[in-house]
Amino acid sequence: MTSRPLVAVLTVATGTDGLAATFDALVAQTESRWQWCIAVAGGASAGTLSQVRSMIAAEPRAVAAGRTAGPPGPAALALSLADAESVCWVDAGDTLDPATFATVRDRYRSTSWMYTDEAARSDDGLPTDIWYKPDFAPERLRSQPYALRLAVLPLAQVHRLGGLPATAGSAAWYELVLRAADSLATPAHLAGPFYLHGDRGTGAPYVSGQARDRCLAVSRVLSTRAEPSTGAVVVTPVEARGRPIGQRVQRRLPRIPRISVVIPTAGTSSIIHGFPRCHVVEFVRSVWTSTRYPNLEIVIVHDLHTPQDVLLEIKDITGGEAVLLPFAGPFHFSRKCNAGAVASTGEYLAFCNDDMSVITQDWLHEMASLLTDPGVGAVGARLLFADGTLQHAGHEYNGGHAGHTMFRYAADDPDEGGAALVTSERSGVTGACMLLRATDFLLVGGFSDEFPSSYNDVDLSLKIRSRGLRILYTPHATLYHFESQSREPTVTDEEMSRIRLRWAEQLQADPYVNELLRRPLPAPPSIQVQSRRTPSSTITRGAQCSSDFDSSMVQDALRTSPSRNIPFTSGSGAP
Amino acid sequence: MSLSSGPHQVAQAVTGDPLEILSNVPPAAQLLLRDHIAGLEAEAGSTRAEAARLDRLRLAEIERLRLQLAGVQAERDRAFEERDAALSGWFAILRRGKRWVSR
């Protein structure tokens, strides 16, 4: 049995405020194997050193060094004092739940590193304004220092990763966590507000330090990554309502891949902002004239009853370059999108509803640049209603249902940790505006024929994720989506049963919904689904039945000439 | 009707690998096939997850019953001990009485 402390807590003392609160919180830990490494900053206020000395005298587990202004810097100085299995960072004045280190101890052997939720500390010492974080999301970490408080890292790995360089300034711990995220295995997320902020600072929700330091830290870490495609990045601060929320990471596109924008439409019109608007015409105009992307193809999949003048206007706008694909048959979103994909020539496919309008001119560039990461399988945009509220900021799957993150919130609302304001992972994104590689689209079977109107995007997203790819949402690609705000989405019981049959587990365990907020399926597992294609067969949950596959559909499809063939490898293992 | 005009017409070597054969299927059909496969895999995954969940519940129930059994056994043993203690006391009295009688 080793007597080495489990965790070394690093703190830089710049004044006397709050040190006692942190000290009390450490002494109150139910797991006693900790060490407090205090570095007194060079410009610390008078009395800081004497207070630290009195704490060291009272508590043998506290060690201190201090009053250095130059290199190695106070953060590195605190780290140099550490002699424990792992390290974490606690700002002076912040506190920990008494069970924090006991929880860390219980999980320590089974994970490479870990982080917890965080909250503000109320006057009575209890958590308030809790930031319920998602499970590990690397792009979120690059866009926001969300996994820093409380991050617990193995000390040996910290030294291997270069420690806490003084050049990183106030973002030294952030840079270290970023490097750990790139080098170590996926961390565990300890759900619960273990870390309590004594002072919320100026950030929202709990972003502190210099924005410039954070941006440089992200830029440095990304520039040293192995993938050449992510070598050149521009990182700029992101604010919401005047408060820092994170940063935007803009990647350079090493080349300009051809993007096919597939738009299914019936050529309908409605009143928007008080004026009649033919949706597809205006959206095509918006894409063709406002979008800054040089290698673009527009594929319009239109119903047979689409007015001819609508089609003529589209031809006129695009100079005849738009591909017009007539679609016969009843409404079927998946079939229309799939038909458009087959007819397209783009390396990337952007599926867009017709009732939209471009706000961010470089929306396609932004979305395409995120696909330069080979681990990313699809990207979704931020969509706003006509009144500027959020229509889409990514999907959330919980309790057997699929919902939209922060639906109808103000576009700049920093709630949920600023989830709608920074680029981050999602379990799924809407099919109303989704960009993905054509090869990935084909490999997973495109939009499923099983879902004519609802859940086709949920299913596609989960198929992509089942191949081990991540899905990103970006607020830096923003469009209007003039979907009626008063219309209740019509979801048939059949489609709901089908999606739960396929993805029961994923619809109740979304990794990007905090573990404490996840709910199980509401319905009992006896789901019966009537096949649409062969009405005589039924699928019962848990049964091996797959007889609803109608080979005649393949025969029909075989008659079409191939325009894009890719190696037919079996899909990935089940999730 | 023959399927081809003969092997001498084949320009490329073939492996007969089913996946290679399927890669020549037109994209529209590939989408249907691949979605069907993905759907089956997803359903299988859901079924496996449900089985694992039920297995965890079963193991938890077994553990609960085991603890309950251990508790009942401990209670039983304690009752036996109390009974034995009481009985041994009576036996001692009886034995003493017997000895006294035999004297």
Side-chain angles (χ1 to χ4, degrees), chain A residues 35-119:
Chain A
Q35 178 193 34
W36 192 18
C37 306
I38 314 164
V40 180
S45 64
T48 307
L49 201 58
S50 60
Q51 186 179 4
V52 169
R53 277 184 182 141
S54 66
M55 285 175 172
I56 294 170
E59 175 53 65
R61 290 172 292 184
V63 288
R67 286 206 180 276
T68 57
L77 190 64
L79 180 62
S80 70
L81 299 171
D83 182 19
E85 290 185 41
S86 59
V87 289
C88 65
W89 186 280
V90 176
D91 283 328
D94 294 350
T95 57
L96 302 174
D97 182 275
T100 303
F101 293 155
T103 310
V104 168
R105 176 199 62 210
D106 293 344
R107 296 291 293 275
Y108 188 73
R109 296 293 169 210
S110 61
T111 186
S112 58
W113 64 288
M114 63 191 93
Y115 66 95
T116 72
D117 293 338
E118 55 195 294

Side-chain angles (χ1 to χ4, degrees), chain A residues 380-385 389-395 404-405 407 428-430 433 473 481:
Chain A
R382 177 169 69 166
L383 305 182
L384 305 179
F385 283 119
T389 57
L390 283 173
Q391 192 272 332
H392 174 263
H395 282 174
H404 281 201
T405 300
F407 187 65
V429 289
T430 180
C433 185
Y473 152 79
H481 187 193

